[in-house]
Amino acid sequence: MAPLQCVSCNAPLAVVDSSSTVCSFCRHINSIPQQYRDELRLTRELDDATCNAAREWLRLHQITFPRWFFVCAALAPFILMSAGLAAVLITGLIWRSSRSALPLLSAGGVWLPLIPVQAIAAIVGIKMILVSGVARVGAAFAAAPPSAPGAPPSCRLCGAPLTVGEGDFVVRCIYCKADSIIYLDQSLMRDLQVRVGSARASLAQAMTALAAKARIVRMQTLGRALIILGFLILPFIWSLFVGMQTSYWSILITLDVWVLALCLFWYVREAFLPPATVEELEAMIDSPADPRTEQHATKGATQPGTRGWYDHASDKRNFVMPAIVALMFLTIELLVWNG
């Protein structure tokens, strides 16, 4: 179907369910063929998957979740552990008589508070993935701005004028059948570091991929939280039982603390990664059945310095920072043992 144009100035016209429409450029009255009106009725009847995806997108889009809160939540576990152990160590170095109480100080000031702080960081991280991913989906599916004051927004793919009814926030183009999000907050568009291109997939496919991405992240986060909880057991037991504090074997707990600090430092690194991109979601759409293919496609589409930082997991800072924390715990162990 050819795009409907004004017979006077050849400007594109938005199809309305009426016998005629007025051109927003030259104000000429144009008749609308019945074929275009029938096609408009068909495209306005969105399928259930698109309607559900639109409602889910709107629900998540209305959640206000500042990025600084996510960054603080991701930094909190590692800062709590490192700063807490540093405070306990300084206390033992300054007040020699307090060295016998250092294990209890570490239990009450580090290991116990670390459990809820880590849980909060995990929950906040999952929500941030969803909210930031929805922002990127909204930018990719946003309709083009109107070509003239008073004109309707344009299709994000073909540029044809869209027919927007009252209360519509997702409109399907009658020509290319692409779904476009209407009246997206322009300040949000400007806040994005990079204006993403129009997505190839439909809104329903993108939201389904985002939900799948969130499920993967949720499983990874839950697994990591359980691992961190497991590594907390030995330091906590050492803090409560004097028999372990006087044993040479307790020095091996330093390795446990180092791995624990390593896991928490991952949260610090991930806090500065960009949100889920539309390219990642489309890679999941192209190969949803094979996780290995999805990982390969995502990795191939990832630019250096973004989610591909795992390619640089052997960087020294990934091991040096947790090692400093582990050395502080080892020094505390030696102070308690000699005290």
Side-chain angles (χ1 to χ4, degrees):
M1 185 187 306
L4 186 65
Q5 294 179 329
C6 175
V7 297
S8 176
C9 65
N10 290 329
L13 295 175
V15 179
V16 296
D17 193 6
S18 176
S19 59
S20 62
T21 183
V22 179
C23 176
S24 58
F25 293 91
C26 66
R27 314 307 299 175
H28 182 78
I29 300 177
N30 296 266
S31 60
I32 300 179
Q34 186 64 37
Q35 177 187 4
Y36 288 84
R37 297 170 62 184
D38 294 339
E39 187 67 26
L40 174 64
R41 296 190 185 100
L42 292 175
T43 55
R44 289 191 61 84
E45 296 178 359
L46 300 177
D47 54 275
D48 292 339
T50 302
C51 292
N52 294 334
R55 285 192 293 266
E56 180 66 10
W57 180 89
L58 184 63
R59 182 185 70 84
L60 294 174
H61 177 65
Q62 293 173 344
I63 299 177
T64 56
F65 202 85
R67 180 168 176 79
W68 64 264
F69 183 71
F70 165 66
V71 173
C72 292
L75 294 175
F78 185 77
I79 292 179
L80 172 63
M81 183 177 179
S82 56
L85 290 178
V88 173
L89 177 59
I90 293 174
T91 301
L93 293 175
I94 296 178
W95 292 284
R96 184 182 180 87
S97 60
S98 65
R99 292 182 178 179
S100 60
L102 294 183
L104 291 179
L105 287 177
S106 63
V110 179
W111 311 127
L112 278 180
L114 197 57
I115 298 176
V117 171
Q118 152 66 20
I120 293 175
I123 295 174
V124 170
I126 294 173
K127 289 186 178 295
M128 188 63 189
I129 288 291
L130 279 173
V131 173
S132 61
V134 163
R136 287 299 176 103
V137 169
F141 283 83
S147 55
S154 303
C155 173
R156 62 183 175 86
L157 287 185
C158 68
L162 296 174
T163 303
V164 183
E166 184 179 357
D168 289 343
F169 61 92
V170 174
V171 175
R172 180 169 294 169
C173 178
I174 67 171
Y175 302 108
C176 66
K177 304 299 186 292
D179 301 322
S180 298
I181 297 177
I182 309 299
Y183 303 133
L184 184 66
D185 187 3
Q186 295 300 315
S187 63
L188 175 64
M189 301 281 291
R190 290 191 296 269
D191 289 342
L192 290 174
Q193 295 180 356
V194 179
R195 173 65 167 93
V196 297
S198 294
R200 296 180 291 105
S202 68
L203 179 61
Q205 289 176 316
M207 291 303 296
T208 301
L210 181 61
K213 187 75 175 178
R215 284 194 297 270
I216 294 174
V217 173
R218 187 177 292 109
M219 292 177 61
Q220 293 174 345
T221 305
L222 178 60
R224 187 186 306 171
L226 293 176
I227 291 174
I228 291 175
L229 183 62
F231 281 113
L232 275 172
I233 294 176
L234 281 180
F236 183 70
I237 294 177
W238 173 86
S239 302
L240 298 181
F241 294 96
V242 180
M244 290 189 64
Q245 300 166 12
T246 58
S247 173
Y248 289 105
W249 292 103
S250 64
I251 297 179
L252 296 178
I253 301 179
T254 304
L255 295 176
D256 181 283
V257 174
W258 177 72
V259 178
L260 174 61
L262 187 66
C263 294
L264 296 179
F265 191 67
W266 285 350
Y267 278 108
V268 178
R269 295 294 304 271
E270 291 178 348
F272 300 97
L273 296 179
T277 63
V278 175
E279 289 76 16
E280 286 181 311
L281 299 181
E282 288 188 338
M284 297 182 67
I285 295 172
D286 293 337
S287 54
D290 190 351
R292 293 173 298 180
T293 306
E294 180 271 324
Q295 292 175 3
H296 177 75
T298 302
K299 182 178 178 181
T302 302
Q303 298 178 357
T306 58
R307 293 186 180 272
W309 79 267
Y310 294 103
D311 298 335
H312 307 281
S314 59
D315 290 349
K316 292 182 179 179
R317 57 183 170 181
N318 295 336
F319 302 95
V320 172
M321 296 299 293
I324 294 175
V325 177
L327 287 176
M328 287 192 295
F329 178 77
L330 177 61
T331 306
I332 293 173
E333 283 187 305
L334 295 177
L335 289 178
V336 175
W337 189 57
N338 292 327

